[in-house]
Amino acid sequence: MKQNVRLSIGGMSCAGCVSAVEQALAGVEGVNAATVNLGERTALVEGSDMAVESLIQAVKKAGYDAAELGGLEDESEKAGHELAEYRLLWRRALIAGGVGAALFIGGMTGLLPSIEESRSTWIGISVITLLILIFVGGHFFKGAILSLKAGRGNMDTLIALGTGTAWIYSTLVVIWPELVPSLARHAYFDASVVIIALVSLGSALEMKARGKTSTAIKRLIGLQPDTARVIRNGKEIEIAVADIGLDETIRIRPGDRIPVDGELIEGGSHVDESMLTGEPMPVNKKKGASVYGGTVNVTGSFLMRATHIGRETALARIIDLVRRAQSSKPPIGRLADKVAAVFVPVVVLIATAAFFVWLFLGPEPSFSYAIVTAMTVLVIACPCALGLATPISIMVGIGRAAEMGILIRNGEALQRAGKITTLLLDKTGTVTEGKPSVVDLLPVDGVSSKLLLQKAASLESGSEHPVALAILTAALDDEIELLSHDQFEAVAGKGVTGRVGGKSLILGSRRLLTEKGIETSRIEKQASSYADAGKTVIYIAEENALLGVLTISDPVRDDSAEAVKKLHELGLRLVMLSGDSHESANRVAFEVGIENVIAEVLPEQKSRHVQRLQQEGEIVAMVGDGINDAPALARADVGIAIGSGTDVAIESADIALMHNSLTSVADAIGISRATVRNIWQNLFGAFFYNSLGIPVAAGVLYPAFGILLNPMVAAAAMSLSSVTVVTNALRLKRSSISMAD
């Protein structure tokens, strides 16, 4: 059985940690893929028949903490843990920073005696420093030991080596000064504790900034109420939403937020479903109607039966989709992974080489210079910024999209969306409202309009197609009684057949009737004029004899023309791909400004058109309703479902638009391009920082300019680089999405 497991991961600090956790998870039986998000501190594990406890133990064996993330309650618990960790980081920074500042100021002002004057004082300082390293920075050393046991390195390794080396060297200078050349007898206790302080402070600031990246998720989680009123044993009681069981009866009062998905069983009301559909007008709900968790009851009171609870609700599934998307990696992100896999060992080699170069070729005291240089290289080279460069932008970009009603399935879809060259648009429900209505009835001689509509509605009562619903609505509005029907059969892309009142009936396109050998020429002129006006013409025949035609009109969305203009400005080639007649499709295309039209296309043919364009070198996106267009959506480089309902939106498309508007397509592409630009900026900044920082720390500028970095400056620079990456990613939240390349 296929599984998707989300884990909260504790103790990660850099790209090396990400690689270590992914490798540990990949080694567990049943795991097909494991993706770790450093920015969110989570792992998404995909596989079959996986034991969750085995996954957790594998992570712990690698030196990190892990816990399964299940429902929305677990998300709140995770937020609580992160708050506690944030406060702990600040305490570590303040303790280590206070001690470090005292040592630094005391040394600079002469308040501290020299080592020669009072060795006992400096032994005491050594002990205090050791206590700081153990109790404040001990997690670095623990992580380093575990990583070394696993045969790899990470940020903990570099920090532990840097601060540990500084303490050991300084203690040797204090206790056995004769082991060290006289000119090199300097203590670096202040550097050790200040590095711990600055790294902790940087991590706290980074965590604070990271917290701002997940506002979309927090808002979605906030849509679910904490409690609900259920009917048990004939009594109405208030319980936690997490305690609601399947088929339980729930009382919903005016103004209440609906706690879970369900079916209305008593009463009626209007429900605001804008959080799911984007439609501002409340929806009338009667007995038997579906209601969704997170939506708001506006007017009446009603009873509902819980049909989906916990992680199975539409809201929980949307949150899960956004979470999984934020945890995924686009192709661009794998560049950092490849670098991170070899980064720490290379840094250790560079630090070692720098040590020996300064030891044998540096000025006096060469030993002291060698120690300081190696320590500085180890500290400044921590690949924190590199590990955050991609995931933090993905989190913000996909979160921003979710806030705009755009659900992006994964990081790969996010990246591909920005590369689209050709956009295929379904007509009905995409460019048009998707709410067709009967406009004209044209019966042949001897047939009344009422009988024509009765026959059509009776046959279509077995269908859920939008055209069928339009015909049924027209019949019900005229209070027409429906006739019995059987042998209903849908002919894909052409119409329906069956028997009504014991007689065979055909309803559909002219093509369908022609295939059945039914003559339509007698009303063809009038039918053509209807088609020229942009109406869909439906032919009706009984016992191989034409009864007449009816027309369906689906108004163009108010914002479709403006959306098409925006899509053209993005440099996209637009093609309308419709199963409707050439006349109707061309009319709608002309109205909104689409020049390329492919009409009278069957559902299976749409997929072939997508494939043909791909073979021509185009990167193709298909925009459809997620049901009839499923083959084309699957074939396209990017499938975009619009106005498709939550189930289909979540399951079938790369991108699902909760708002029934083509403008969201332009927004999705704009978000993609902005996010990819942001990732490249972060990666460039991270690579530039490490490429520049490591040589400077190694002392390449010293011979010409006399510049040599202090380890404390290196720690501050390393922490600042991570905060800078996160801050740059947060610009995606604040700035307007650029539509330009």
Side-chain angles (χ1 to χ4, degrees):
M1 185 179 71
K2 289 186 177 180
Q3 289 174 273
N4 287 315
V5 178
R6 282 187 71 244
L7 301 174
S8 174
I9 309 294
M12 293 194 301
S13 53
C14 68
C17 300
V18 171
S19 179
V21 176
E22 287 180 343
Q23 288 176 19
L25 290 169
V28 177
E29 185 177 355
V31 173
N32 296 330
T35 306
V36 174
N37 187 322
L38 178 62
E40 198 183 24
R41 304 302 198 262
T42 60
L44 174 63
V45 189
E46 300 174 74
S48 55
D49 300 322
M50 299 178 298
V52 175
E53 188 57 35
S54 297
L55 298 174
I56 292 173
Q57 288 304 317
V59 175
K60 289 184 175 180
K61 190 176 179 181
Y64 304 91
D65 295 324
E68 185 181 10
L69 286 173
L72 303 187
E73 299 78 18
D74 291 341
E75 301 289 351
S76 300
E77 188 176 341
K78 177 176 177 288
H81 289 317
E82 289 177 347
L83 179 60
E85 186 181 350
Y86 173 73
R87 291 171 176 170
L88 177 61
L89 287 169
W90 266 107
R91 285 198 297 271
R92 287 171 174 169
L94 290 172
I95 294 170
V99 173
L103 293 176
F104 181 76
I105 294 170
M108 293 292 292
T109 59
L111 293 175
L112 286 175
S114 66
I115 297 173
E116 292 78 11
E117 291 173 343
S118 180
R119 188 163 297 172
S120 60
T121 300
W122 283 94
I123 290 174
I125 292 172
S126 173
V127 172
I128 293 171
T129 304
L130 179 61
L131 293 174
I132 295 291
L133 294 181
I134 293 173
F135 293 105
V136 179
H139 58 291
F140 292 122
F141 292 87
K142 180 184 176 182
I145 292 169
L146 289 170
S147 69
L148 290 172
K149 284 183 178 179
R152 50 175 172 76
N154 57 18
M155 188 190 90
D156 292 344
T157 308
L158 301 179
I159 296 296
L161 282 173
T163 57
T165 300
W167 182 84
I168 292 170
Y169 173 73
S170 300
T171 301
L172 284 175
V173 169
V174 171
I175 299 176
W176 294 289
E178 60 273 10
L179 296 177
V180 181
S182 58
L183 292 176
R185 292 172 186 171
H186 301 290
Y188 297 99
F189 295 120
D190 56 344
S192 291
V193 292
V194 170
I195 287 170
I196 298 293
L198 289 171
V199 173
S200 299
L201 177 61
S203 297
L205 294 174
E206 176 206 316
M207 180 172 284
K208 182 72 171 178
R210 276 196 293 111
K212 299 176 183 178
T213 67
S214 55
T215 53
I217 294 294
K218 292 174 183 175
R219 288 176 185 172
L220 287 170
I221 292 174
L223 292 175
Q224 186 185 62
D226 296 324
T227 62
R229 301 191 69 82
V230 301
I231 311 297
R232 291 181 179 174
N233 301 320
K235 295 182 179 179
E236 188 174 305
I237 60 173
E238 188 169 323
I239 65 171
V241 169
D243 296 332
I244 296 174
L246 276 176
D247 296 321
E248 206 146 25
T249 301
I250 306 169
R251 167 73 68 185
I252 305 297
R253 297 168 299 185
D256 283 353
R257 194 173 289 277
I258 296 170
V260 295
D261 295 358
E263 179 186 0
L264 197 149
I265 57 176
E266 185 182 304
S269 183
H270 285 79
V271 177
D272 180 359
E273 296 184 338
S274 57
M275 53 81 62
L276 287 178
T277 66
E279 299 293 338
M281 295 300 294
V283 181
N284 186 27
K285 299 288 184 178
K286 299 178 181 179
K287 185 177 180 180
S290 296
V291 290
Y292 300 99
T295 59
V296 179
N297 181 33
V298 179
T299 54
S301 175
F302 61 86
L303 294 178
M304 59 171 285
R305 179 177 63 85
T307 58
H308 296 87
I309 60 176
R311 299 184 68 178
E312 298 303 315
T313 66
L315 176 61
R317 294 172 68 196
I318 290 171
I319 291 172
D320 186 57
L321 175 66
V322 177
R323 283 288 194 195
R324 288 170 59 187
Q326 290 182 329
S327 298
S328 64
K329 289 181 183 177
I332 190 176
R334 295 177 191 130
L335 174 64
D337 291 346
K338 292 177 181 178
V339 173
V342 296
F343 196 85
V344 173
V346 169
V347 168
V348 173
L349 286 174
I350 293 172
T352 304
F355 174 85
F356 284 108
V357 168
W358 278 92
L359 182 63
F360 294 112
L361 301 177
E364 293 296 331
S366 61
F367 192 76
S368 183
Y369 275 115
I371 288 289
V372 171
T373 303
M375 181 169 54
T376 306
V377 169
L378 289 170
V379 172
I380 203 169
C382 292
C384 306
L386 187 62
L388 288 168
T390 299
I392 210 72
S393 296
I394 291 291
M395 286 177 64
V396 177
I398 287 177
R400 173 74 184 277
E403 290 176 346
M404 298 171 68
I406 303 167
L407 303 181
I408 302 175
R409 180 168 292 280
N410 51 47
E412 190 167 352
L414 179 68
Q415 184 174 340
R416 283 202 308 268
K419 299 178 180 179
I420 296 168
T421 58
T422 296
L423 188 67
L424 302 181
L425 300 169
D426 180 43
K427 179 177 77 71
T428 304
T430 301
V431 179
T432 64
E433 290 282 356
K435 298 176 182 176
S437 59
V438 176
V439 180
D440 304 291
L441 293 167
L442 180 64
V444 299
D445 297 338
V447 179
S448 68
S449 296
K450 183 176 180 179
L451 180 62
L452 185 70
L453 185 57
Q454 183 185 44
K455 296 278 188 180
S458 298
L459 180 60
E460 288 283 29
S461 63
S463 172
E464 296 182 355
H465 193 279
V467 170
L469 295 177
I471 296 172
L472 281 167
T473 300
L476 292 173
D477 288 345
D478 289 348
E479 298 181 349
I480 294 173
E481 184 180 355
L482 300 184
L483 305 172
S484 62
H485 78 279
D486 57 16
Q487 299 181 22
F488 176 86
E489 182 181 353
V491 184
K494 298 178 183 178
V496 296
T497 65
R499 296 183 67 82
V500 174
K503 297 182 179 181
S504 66
L505 200 72
I506 300 172
L507 186 149
S509 65
R510 181 177 61 182
R511 181 195 300 182
L512 179 59
L513 269 68
T514 301
E515 290 177 358
K516 300 291 185 180
I518 301 170
E519 180 62 43
T520 62
S521 59
R522 58 191 297 191
I523 58 172
E524 204 56 57
K525 184 176 179 181
Q526 185 61 47
S528 295
S529 68
Y530 287 146
D532 289 340
K535 302 173 183 178
T536 299
V537 181
I538 308 294
Y539 293 77
I540 307 169
E542 183 180 69
E543 298 290 339
N544 293 324
L546 185 67
L547 293 182
V549 300
L550 56 82
T551 68
I552 305 290
S553 181
D554 185 11
V556 173
R557 296 187 188 277
D558 293 337
D559 62 350
S560 286
E562 181 62 27
V564 167
K565 182 182 177 182
K566 287 184 178 180
L567 291 166
H568 277 308
E569 290 173 356
L570 288 171
L572 301 176
R573 174 191 178 190
L574 302 186
V575 180
M576 181 180 288
L577 196 61
S578 174
D580 212 340
S581 67
H582 287 285
E583 294 87 353
S584 180
N586 281 323
R587 180 82 178 189
V588 172
F590 177 79
E591 187 173 342
V592 299
I594 298 174
E595 297 178 356
N596 304 299
V597 178
I598 303 174
E600 299 184 8
V601 181
L602 299 177
E604 61 268 22
Q605 293 174 327
K606 290 184 178 182
S607 178
R608 290 200 287 271
H609 281 289
V610 172
Q611 189 177 13
R612 174 181 59 80
L613 288 165
Q614 289 171 327
Q615 291 171 346
E616 293 173 1
E618 301 289 329
I619 299 174
V620 181
M622 174 70 195
V623 185
D625 63 11
I627 303 172
N628 296 330
D629 301 307
L633 287 169
R635 170 68 70 176
D637 296 291
V638 181
I640 303 174
I642 181 173
S644 56
T646 54
D647 286 342
V648 175
I650 292 170
E651 299 298 335
S652 70
D654 296 308
I655 298 174
L657 308 178
M658 305 306 290
H659 301 176
N660 295 327
S661 170
L662 268 183
T663 303
S664 293
V665 178
D667 291 338
I669 295 171
I671 288 170
S672 168
R673 295 182 178 181
T675 304
V676 171
R677 280 198 305 271
N678 195 268
I679 291 172
W680 277 117
Q681 291 166 1
N682 284 345
L683 285 174
F684 174 81
F687 280 125
F688 181 80
Y689 162 79
N690 284 120
S691 300
L692 180 65
I694 292 175
V696 172
V700 296
L701 297 181
Y702 186 84
F705 304 101
I707 296 174
L708 190 64
L709 286 184
N710 185 292
M712 292 183 285
V713 174
M718 183 269 290
S719 298
L720 183 62
S721 68
S722 298
V723 176
T724 301
V725 164
V726 177
T727 303
N728 184 57
L730 287 171
R731 292 193 306 110
L732 289 169
K733 288 178 64 68
R734 297 190 298 269
S735 61
S736 59
I737 298 298
S738 174
M739 295 299 160
D741 285 318

